[in-house]
Amino acid sequence: MRKIFVSPSILSADCARLEQECKSLEKSGADWIHCDVMDGKFVPNISFGMPVINSLRKRIVIPLDVHLMICEPEKYVKQFAEAGANIITFHIESTDKIKQTIDIIRSCGKKVGISLKPDTPLEVLEPYRGMFDMLLIMSVEPGFGGQRFIETSLDKIRKARQLYPDVLIEVDGGINKTNAKAVVDAGADILVAGSAIMNAANRKEVIAELRKV
Ligand code: DX5
Ligand code: ZN
């Protein structure tokens, strides 16, 4: 049986208490902390940037899984690496300098993730085969937490699993205790969950349930 990782998203955390929120997630069994970076351009929402990553890196132990939803990521990935991101994921739709972005992340010694929006087909990844460690499949339109899981994502996850057997597959958006099993059965290795974990009375229980499906 393969190990499933849970990466809680802090997009819906209490930002004034981010340290306590992350420590609570760490204590509750989170494997990684998923940090959603938004620029108000690639997505119609703004969240936080490198200073937050930098402060969190000094205070928590588990890896920071940084999901960049920003235009021209090639201009910023080095700063996110220096701030302490462990895995840096950018959107294939966000730049025409994909190879360059991958190379910068790698040269900083970080893991490379590529993300696809729900309507972006897997075929666009083919030229970059062998160059990324993780594929992040969005199961909602990026920009906001608390949206409904798009069911057709399951077919995309299955297909991705077949095409890229050695790449980690992370799925992000609308994941909860009810649909996690289907997502894992389709081939996901890492489940991102924001509202399902952050709004739960018992975060530890939800994380454990998501992981054991
Ligand atoms: C959406 C973000 C997600 C989101 C997950 O753009 O990338 O990480 O916060 O939140 P839920 O689990 O509530 O969909
Ligand atoms: Zn995300």
Side-chain angles (χ1 to χ4, degrees), residues 65-117:
D65 168 29
V66 174
H67 177 193
L68 298 179
M69 287 162 274
I70 61 173
C71 294
E72 301 181 292
E74 65 279 2
K75 290 190 181 165
Y76 307 101
V77 283
K78 187 165 183 279
Q79 290 177 65
F80 278 102
E82 286 167 357
N86 298 86
I87 302 122
I88 302 181
T89 299
F90 68 97
H91 271 265
I92 202 155
E93 309 89 352
S94 66
T95 179
D96 50 10
K97 301 199 171 69
I98 295 158
K99 178 74 170 57
Q100 189 187 329
T101 309
I102 293 173
D103 289 345
I104 303 170
I105 300 173
R106 275 256 184 270
S107 69
C108 295
K110 306 296 179 177
K111 295 257 182 265
V112 177
I114 299 189
S115 183
L116 305 183
K117 293 206 243 182

Coordinates of all heavy atoms in Angstrom, one line a residue, residues 65-117:
D65 N 4.9 23.4 1.1 CA 4.4 23.0 -0.2 C 3.8 24.3 -0.9 O 2.7 24.6 -0.6 CB 3.4 21.9 0.0 CG 2.6 21.5 -1.2 OD1 3.1 21.6 -2.3 OD2 1.4 21.0 -1.0
V66 N 4.6 25.0 -1.7 CA 4.2 26.3 -2.1 C 3.6 26.2 -3.5 O 4.2 25.8 -4.5 CB 5.4 27.3 -2.1 CG1 5.0 28.6 -2.7 CG2 5.9 27.5 -0.6
H67 N 2.3 26.6 -3.6 CA 1.6 26.6 -4.8 C 1.4 28.0 -5.4 O 0.7 28.8 -4.8 CB 0.2 26.0 -4.5 CG -0.8 25.9 -5.6 ND1 -2.1 25.7 -5.5 CD2 -0.6 26.1 -7.0 CE1 -2.7 25.7 -6.7 NE2 -1.8 26.0 -7.6
L68 N 2.2 28.3 -6.4 CA 2.2 29.7 -7.0 C 1.1 29.8 -8.0 O 1.1 29.1 -9.0 CB 3.6 29.9 -7.6 CG 4.8 29.9 -6.7 CD1 6.1 30.2 -7.6 CD2 4.7 30.9 -5.6
M69 N 0.2 30.7 -7.7 CA -0.8 31.1 -8.7 C -0.5 32.5 -9.1 O -1.2 33.5 -8.7 CB -2.2 30.9 -8.1 CG -2.6 29.4 -8.0 SD -3.9 29.2 -6.8 CE -3.0 29.0 -5.3
I70 N 0.6 32.7 -9.8 CA 1.1 34.1 -10.1 C 1.6 34.1 -11.6 O 2.0 33.1 -12.1 CB 2.2 34.5 -9.2 CG1 3.5 33.6 -9.3 CG2 1.8 34.5 -7.7 CD1 4.7 34.0 -8.6
C71 N 1.5 35.3 -12.2 CA 2.0 35.4 -13.6 C 3.5 35.5 -13.5 O 4.1 36.0 -12.5 CB 1.5 36.7 -14.2 SG -0.3 36.6 -14.5
E72 N 4.2 35.1 -14.5 CA 5.7 35.2 -14.6 C 6.4 34.6 -13.4 O 7.2 35.3 -12.8 CB 6.1 36.6 -14.9 CG 5.5 37.2 -16.1 CD 5.9 38.7 -16.3 OE1 5.6 39.6 -15.6 OE2 6.7 38.9 -17.3
P73 N 6.1 33.4 -13.0 CA 6.8 32.8 -11.9 C 8.3 32.8 -11.9 O 8.9 32.8 -10.9 CB 6.2 31.4 -11.8 CG 5.7 31.1 -13.2 CD 5.3 32.4 -13.7
E74 N 8.8 32.8 -13.2 CA 10.3 32.8 -13.3 C 11.0 33.9 -12.6 O 12.1 33.9 -12.3 CB 10.7 32.7 -14.8 CG 10.3 33.9 -15.7 CD 8.9 33.9 -16.2 OE1 8.1 33.0 -15.8 OE2 8.5 34.9 -16.9
K75 N 10.2 35.0 -12.5 CA 10.8 36.2 -11.8 C 10.9 36.1 -10.3 O 11.5 36.8 -9.6 CB 9.9 37.4 -12.1 CG 10.0 37.9 -13.5 CD 9.3 39.3 -13.6 CE 9.3 39.7 -15.1 NZ 8.4 40.8 -15.3
Y76 N 10.1 35.1 -9.7 CA 10.0 35.1 -8.3 C 10.4 33.8 -7.6 O 10.6 33.7 -6.4 CB 8.5 35.4 -7.9 CG 8.0 36.7 -8.5 CD1 7.2 36.7 -9.6 CD2 8.4 37.9 -7.9 CE1 6.7 37.8 -10.1 CE2 7.9 39.1 -8.5 CZ 7.1 39.0 -9.6 OH 6.7 40.2 -10.1
V77 N 10.6 32.7 -8.4 CA 10.8 31.4 -7.8 C 12.1 31.4 -6.9 O 12.1 30.7 -5.9 CB 10.8 30.2 -8.8 CG1 9.4 29.8 -9.2 CG2 11.6 30.5 -10.0
K78 N 13.1 32.1 -7.4 CA 14.3 32.1 -6.6 C 14.1 32.7 -5.2 O 14.5 32.2 -4.2 CB 15.4 32.9 -7.3 CG 16.8 32.9 -6.7 CD 17.8 33.4 -7.7 CE 19.2 33.3 -7.1 NZ 19.5 34.4 -6.2
Q79 N 13.3 33.8 -5.1 CA 13.0 34.4 -3.8 C 12.1 33.4 -3.0 O 12.3 33.4 -1.7 CB 12.2 35.7 -4.0 CG 13.1 36.8 -4.6 CD 12.3 38.0 -4.9 OE1 11.8 38.6 -3.9 NE2 12.1 38.4 -6.1
F80 N 11.2 32.7 -3.6 CA 10.5 31.7 -2.8 C 11.4 30.6 -2.3 O 11.2 30.1 -1.1 CB 9.3 31.1 -3.6 CG 8.1 32.1 -3.6 CD1 7.8 32.9 -4.7 CD2 7.3 32.2 -2.5 CE1 6.8 33.8 -4.7 CE2 6.2 33.1 -2.4 CZ 6.0 33.8 -3.5
A81 N 12.3 30.2 -3.1 CA 13.3 29.2 -2.6 C 14.1 29.7 -1.5 O 14.3 29.0 -0.5 CB 14.2 28.8 -3.8
E82 N 14.6 30.9 -1.6 CA 15.4 31.5 -0.5 C 14.6 31.7 0.8 O 15.1 31.7 1.9 CB 16.0 32.8 -1.0 CG 17.2 32.6 -2.0 CD 17.6 33.8 -2.7 OE1 17.0 34.9 -2.5 OE2 18.6 33.7 -3.5
A83 N 13.3 32.0 0.6 CA 12.4 32.2 1.7 C 12.2 30.8 2.5 O 11.7 30.9 3.6 CB 11.0 32.7 1.3
G84 N 12.5 29.7 1.8 CA 12.4 28.4 2.5 C 11.3 27.5 2.0 O 11.0 26.5 2.7
A85 N 10.8 27.7 0.8 CA 9.8 26.8 0.2 C 10.6 25.5 0.0 O 11.8 25.5 -0.4 CB 9.3 27.3 -1.1
N86 N 9.9 24.3 0.2 CA 10.6 23.0 -0.1 C 10.2 22.5 -1.4 O 11.0 21.9 -2.1 CB 10.2 22.0 1.0 CG 10.7 22.5 2.4 OD1 10.0 23.3 3.1 ND2 11.9 22.1 2.7
I87 N 8.9 22.6 -1.8 CA 8.5 22.2 -3.1 C 7.8 23.5 -3.7 O 7.0 24.1 -3.0 CB 7.3 21.1 -2.9 CG1 7.9 19.9 -2.1 CG2 6.8 20.7 -4.3 CD1 7.1 19.6 -0.9
I88 N 8.2 23.8 -4.9 CA 7.7 25.0 -5.6 C 6.9 24.5 -6.8 O 7.5 24.0 -7.7 CB 8.8 26.0 -5.9 CG1 9.6 26.4 -4.6 CG2 8.2 27.2 -6.6 CD1 10.7 27.4 -4.9
T89 N 5.6 24.8 -6.8 CA 4.8 24.4 -7.9 C 4.3 25.7 -8.6 O 3.8 26.6 -7.9 CB 3.5 23.6 -7.4 OG1 4.0 22.5 -6.7 CG2 2.6 23.3 -8.5
F90 N 4.4 25.7 -9.9 CA 3.9 26.9 -10.7 C 2.9 26.3 -11.7 O 2.9 25.1 -12.1 CB 5.0 27.7 -11.3 CG 5.8 26.9 -12.4 CD1 5.5 27.1 -13.8 CD2 6.8 26.0 -12.1 CE1 6.1 26.4 -14.8 CE2 7.5 25.3 -13.1 CZ 7.1 25.5 -14.4
H91 N 2.1 27.2 -12.2 CA 1.1 26.8 -13.3 C 1.7 26.9 -14.7 O 2.3 27.9 -15.0 CB -0.1 27.7 -13.1 CG -1.1 27.2 -12.2 ND1 -2.2 26.4 -12.6 CD2 -1.2 27.3 -10.9 CE1 -2.9 26.1 -11.5 NE2 -2.3 26.6 -10.5
I92 N 1.4 25.9 -15.4 CA 1.9 25.8 -16.8 C 1.3 26.9 -17.6 O 1.9 27.4 -18.6 CB 1.7 24.4 -17.4 CG1 2.7 24.1 -18.5 CG2 0.3 24.2 -17.8 CD1 3.0 22.7 -18.8
E93 N 0.1 27.4 -17.2 CA -0.6 28.4 -18.0 C -0.1 29.8 -17.6 O -0.5 30.8 -18.3 CB -2.1 28.4 -17.6 CG -2.8 27.0 -17.8 CD -2.8 26.2 -16.4 OE1 -2.1 26.7 -15.5 OE2 -3.4 25.2 -16.4
S94 N 0.8 29.9 -16.6 CA 1.2 31.2 -16.1 C 2.4 31.9 -16.8 O 2.7 33.0 -16.5 CB 1.4 31.1 -14.6 OG 2.6 30.4 -14.3
T95 N 3.0 31.1 -17.7 CA 4.3 31.6 -18.2 C 4.6 30.9 -19.6 O 4.1 29.8 -19.8 CB 5.5 31.4 -17.3 OG1 6.7 31.9 -17.9 CG2 5.7 29.9 -16.9
D96 N 5.4 31.6 -20.4 CA 5.9 30.9 -21.6 C 7.3 30.5 -21.4 O 8.0 29.9 -22.2 CB 5.7 31.8 -22.9 CG 6.3 33.2 -22.7 OD1 6.9 33.4 -21.7 OD2 6.0 34.0 -23.6
K97 N 7.8 30.7 -20.2 CA 9.2 30.4 -19.8 C 9.2 29.2 -18.9 O 9.8 29.2 -17.8 CB 9.9 31.6 -19.2 CG 10.0 32.8 -20.1 CD 11.0 33.8 -19.7 CE 11.2 34.9 -20.7 NZ 10.1 35.8 -20.7
I98 N 8.6 28.1 -19.3 CA 8.4 26.9 -18.5 C 9.8 26.3 -18.1 O 10.1 26.0 -17.0 CB 7.5 25.9 -19.1 CG1 6.1 26.6 -19.2 CG2 7.3 24.6 -18.3 CD1 5.2 26.1 -20.2
K99 N 10.6 26.0 -19.2 CA 11.9 25.4 -18.9 C 12.8 26.2 -18.0 O 13.4 25.7 -17.1 CB 12.5 25.1 -20.3 CG 13.9 24.5 -20.3 CD 13.8 23.0 -19.9 CE 15.2 22.3 -20.1 NZ 16.3 22.9 -19.3
Q100 N 12.8 27.5 -18.3 CA 13.6 28.4 -17.4 C 13.1 28.4 -16.0 O 13.9 28.3 -15.0 CB 13.4 29.8 -18.0 CG 14.4 30.8 -17.4 CD 14.1 32.3 -17.8 OE1 13.6 32.5 -19.0 NE2 14.3 33.2 -17.0
T101 N 11.8 28.4 -15.8 CA 11.3 28.3 -14.4 C 11.7 27.0 -13.7 O 12.2 27.0 -12.6 CB 9.7 28.4 -14.4 OG1 9.4 29.6 -15.2 CG2 9.2 28.6 -13.0
I102 N 11.6 25.9 -14.4 CA 12.0 24.6 -13.9 C 13.5 24.7 -13.5 O 13.9 24.3 -12.4 CB 11.8 23.5 -14.9 CG1 10.3 23.3 -15.1 CG2 12.5 22.2 -14.5 CD1 9.9 22.3 -16.3
D103 N 14.3 25.2 -14.4 CA 15.7 25.2 -14.2 C 16.1 26.1 -13.0 O 17.0 25.7 -12.2 CB 16.5 25.8 -15.4 CG 16.4 24.8 -16.6 OD1 16.1 23.6 -16.3 OD2 16.7 25.2 -17.7
I104 N 15.4 27.2 -12.8 CA 15.7 28.0 -11.6 C 15.4 27.3 -10.3 O 16.2 27.3 -9.4 CB 15.0 29.4 -11.6 CG1 15.3 30.2 -12.9 CG2 15.4 30.3 -10.4 CD1 14.5 31.4 -13.2
I105 N 14.2 26.7 -10.3 CA 13.8 26.0 -9.1 C 14.8 24.9 -8.7 O 15.3 24.7 -7.6 CB 12.4 25.4 -9.2 CG1 11.3 26.4 -9.5 CG2 12.0 24.6 -8.0 CD1 9.9 25.9 -9.8
R106 N 15.2 24.1 -9.8 CA 16.2 23.0 -9.6 C 17.5 23.6 -9.1 O 18.1 23.0 -8.2 CB 16.5 22.3 -10.9 CG 15.5 21.3 -11.3 CD 16.1 19.9 -11.1 NE 15.0 19.0 -11.5 CZ 14.0 18.6 -10.8 NH1 14.0 18.8 -9.5 NH2 13.0 17.8 -11.3
S107 N 18.0 24.7 -9.7 CA 19.3 25.2 -9.3 C 19.3 25.7 -7.9 O 20.3 25.8 -7.3 CB 19.7 26.3 -10.3 OG 18.9 27.5 -10.1
C108 N 18.1 25.9 -7.4 CA 18.0 26.3 -5.9 C 17.9 25.1 -5.0 O 17.8 25.2 -3.8 CB 16.8 27.2 -5.7 SG 16.9 28.8 -6.5
G109 N 17.9 23.9 -5.6 CA 17.9 22.7 -4.9 C 16.5 22.3 -4.4 O 16.4 21.6 -3.4
K110 N 15.5 22.8 -5.0 CA 14.1 22.5 -4.5 C 13.4 21.6 -5.5 O 13.8 21.4 -6.6 CB 13.3 23.8 -4.5 CG 14.0 24.9 -3.7 CD 14.1 24.6 -2.2 CE 14.8 25.7 -1.4 NZ 14.8 25.4 0.0
K111 N 12.3 20.9 -5.0 CA 11.5 20.0 -5.8 C 10.6 20.9 -6.7 O 10.1 21.9 -6.3 CB 10.6 19.2 -4.9 CG 11.4 18.2 -4.0 CD 11.3 16.8 -4.5 CE 12.0 15.8 -3.7 NZ 13.4 15.5 -4.1
V112 N 10.5 20.4 -7.9 CA 9.7 21.1 -8.9 C 8.3 20.5 -9.1 O 8.1 19.3 -9.3 CB 10.4 21.0 -10.3 CG1 9.6 21.7 -11.4 CG2 11.8 21.6 -10.2
G113 N 7.3 21.4 -9.0 CA 5.9 20.9 -9.2 C 5.3 21.7 -10.4 O 5.7 22.9 -10.5
I114 N 4.5 21.1 -11.2 CA 3.8 21.8 -12.3 C 2.3 21.6 -12.0 O 1.9 20.5 -11.7 CB 4.2 21.3 -13.7 CG1 5.7 21.6 -13.9 CG2 3.4 22.1 -14.7 CD1 6.2 21.3 -15.3
S115 N 1.6 22.7 -12.1 CA 0.1 22.5 -11.9 C -0.7 22.8 -13.2 O -0.3 23.6 -14.0 CB -0.3 23.5 -10.8 OG -1.7 23.3 -10.5
L116 N -1.8 22.1 -13.3 CA -2.7 22.3 -14.4 C -4.1 22.8 -13.9 O -4.6 22.1 -12.9 CB -2.9 21.0 -15.2 CG -1.7 20.3 -15.8 CD1 -2.2 19.1 -16.6 CD2 -0.9 21.2 -16.6
K117 N -4.7 23.8 -14.5 CA -6.1 24.1 -14.2 C -7.0 23.0 -14.7 O -6.6 22.2 -15.5 CB -6.4 25.5 -14.9 CG -5.6 26.7 -14.4 CD -6.5 27.9 -14.6 CE -5.8 28.9 -15.6 NZ -6.6 30.1 -15.8

